[in-house]
Amino acid sequence: GGLAPILRLAARIAQSERIPLIPHFTDDWVNCIYPSGPFHSTLRRSFEHWLMRCLELSVVRMTISDAMAKEYEQRYGGRFESFPNFVERFETTPEPERPCVRLCFIGALAPNRWQPLRSIGMALAKLKERGILGELVVYTFPEDLRSFRKHFEDCEAIVIGGTATPGKVRSLQLDANILVHVESFDEASRLLTRFSLSTKIPQYLMAGRCVLAVGPAEAASIRYVADSGSGIAVSTDDQAVLCAGLERLLTNPVLRREHAAQARQTAVTRHDATAERERFRAIVSEVHSD
């Protein structure tokens, strides 16, 4: 539903067939679309008209996080249900024992996620000077590697792992000591992602690994890691604070295991595929019966 013509099409089909819509919002694109450019005011008005029409045609709306559901209920009224991504449950393993602690990031480097990843790499280099060893392995999409790889070339603590195929993601997560999620601190990225719960967070939690989250304090993904006890959150781009947080995790395997256990429990409680499918089916049945 990211463009006015798609919203118009959905609304007209719903009206013609007399069936309700169940929209799913994964980030706050509704507040960020058409910010500038030719005819942006006209495009924005058209978008807002068809967005509200789609909301009028929906009994229940879904969001990617609790934070977004709360915000959208206040913003638009009506009922919003939180539906984060779900994960098939799988067996986890103890984190590997190795002299150099491995941090692993798997995901897109946009919007500007390469910036906090680079900061982590620079902080790891500083810790290495004190004998605290850690490396960050980055897996991302081929197009992101072409665009952003140059920003990591002077960071010895960052290893480019290439692109992780879907079949390898789980084994890569289990081979890590710490899984990393980041959000950019720049204003445009903050507006877009502040209510989003990244699709990788449930995967990280189900793997039963401690999570390091770096990004703005208001970002839902960053808060979720901290509030659930699944890892630590660094909500500033201050290098000294980041170094301190990394030192805690790299030097304390007991702390990592505690966070890892809580991560797994959160995944089983909130992101189990079987339970979430049943919840979704119940909502669709409810909407259909109305």
Side-chain angles (χ1 to χ4, degrees), residues 24 51 66 77 94 149 156 159 177 179 182 225 229 278:
H24 188 206
L51 171 66
D66 294 342
R149 186 176 193 142
E156 294 183 0
V159 177
N177 301 94
L179 295 172
V182 296
V225 171
E278 287 304 316

Side-chain angles (χ1 to χ4, degrees), residues 1-283:
L3 296 170
I6 298 175
L7 295 175
R8 182 176 64 229
L9 177 63
R12 286 180 171 172
I13 291 173
Q15 288 174 301
S16 173
E17 300 299 320
R18 297 185 179 181
I19 54 175
L21 294 173
I22 306 180
H24 188 206
F25 300 90
T26 58
D27 54 44
D28 202 23
W29 51 265
V30 299
N31 214 32
C32 302
I33 196 169
Y34 305 126
S36 60
F39 311 111
H40 73 94
S41 296
T42 301
L43 291 169
R44 180 72 197 177
R45 284 195 298 272
S46 174
F47 171 81
E48 289 176 346
H49 168 78
W50 289 108
L51 171 66
M52 295 311 298
R53 190 73 192 102
C54 285
L55 292 178
E56 290 167 1
L57 290 164
S58 62
V59 178
V60 180
R61 304 82 175 251
M62 302 192 307
T63 65
I64 198 71
S65 71
D66 294 342
M68 184 179 285
K70 182 178 180 181
E71 167 67 20
Y72 277 27
E73 283 182 351
Q74 295 174 348
R75 188 188 296 180
Y76 301 113
R79 176 184 170 190
F80 287 84
E81 291 282 343
S82 174
F83 265 90
N85 274 46
F86 58 74
V87 186
E88 299 288 351
R89 197 181 301 196
F90 59 89
E91 292 299 318
T92 188
T93 58
E95 70 165 272
E97 294 185 14
R98 48 169 65 99
C100 182
V101 176
R102 177 170 298 169
L103 295 83
C104 181
F105 172 88
I106 304 174
L109 300 183
N112 287 330
R113 291 191 177 100
W114 65 267
Q115 294 173 341
L117 288 173
R118 175 182 164 82
S119 294
I120 292 172
M122 302 303 285
L124 289 171
K126 289 183 179 180
L127 291 173
K128 183 179 179 180
E129 295 173 358
R130 296 165 45 200
I132 302 171
L133 302 181
E135 65 175 6
L136 171 61
V137 185
V138 174
Y139 295 91
T140 189
F141 303 110
E143 58 271 23
D144 283 2
L145 284 175
R146 289 191 291 270
S147 299
F148 304 113
R149 186 176 193 142
K150 60 181 180 289
H151 298 297
F152 303 137
E153 289 176 351
D154 62 339
C155 297
E156 294 183 0
I158 295 181
V159 177
I160 302 300
T163 299
T165 60
K168 289 187 177 181
V169 167
R170 186 177 299 175
S171 62
L172 292 173
Q173 291 171 346
L174 293 177
D175 191 45
N177 301 94
I178 300 168
L179 295 172
V180 176
H181 177 71
V182 296
E183 296 292 353
S184 176
F185 288 93
D186 74 84
E187 191 60 31
S189 300
R190 294 171 83 141
L191 287 174
L192 180 64
T193 62
R194 58 183 172 156
F195 301 124
S196 301
L197 181 61
S198 171
T199 57
K200 72 170 67 66
I201 296 293
Q203 295 177 351
Y204 281 4
L205 304 188
M206 193 63 79
R209 289 292 182 269
C210 172
V211 180
L212 169 66
V214 180
E218 74 273 13
S221 291
I222 307 301
R223 295 204 311 271
Y224 193 75
V225 171
D227 293 347
S228 66
S230 303
I232 70 167
V234 178
S235 301
T236 173
D237 54 3
D238 186 308
Q239 190 75 184
V241 177
L242 180 55
C243 278
L246 280 167
E247 182 176 356
R248 284 179 59 207
L249 290 183
L250 267 60
T251 59
N252 193 336
V254 174
L255 178 63
R256 294 199 302 268
R257 287 195 292 269
E258 290 174 352
H259 284 310
Q262 187 57 48
R264 177 71 177 193
Q265 182 58 48
T266 300
V268 169
T269 303
R270 291 292 314 275
H271 304 289
D272 177 69
T274 301
E276 288 302 285
R277 286 193 188 102
E278 287 304 316
R279 190 162 70 94
F280 177 67
R281 184 177 290 112
I283 286 181

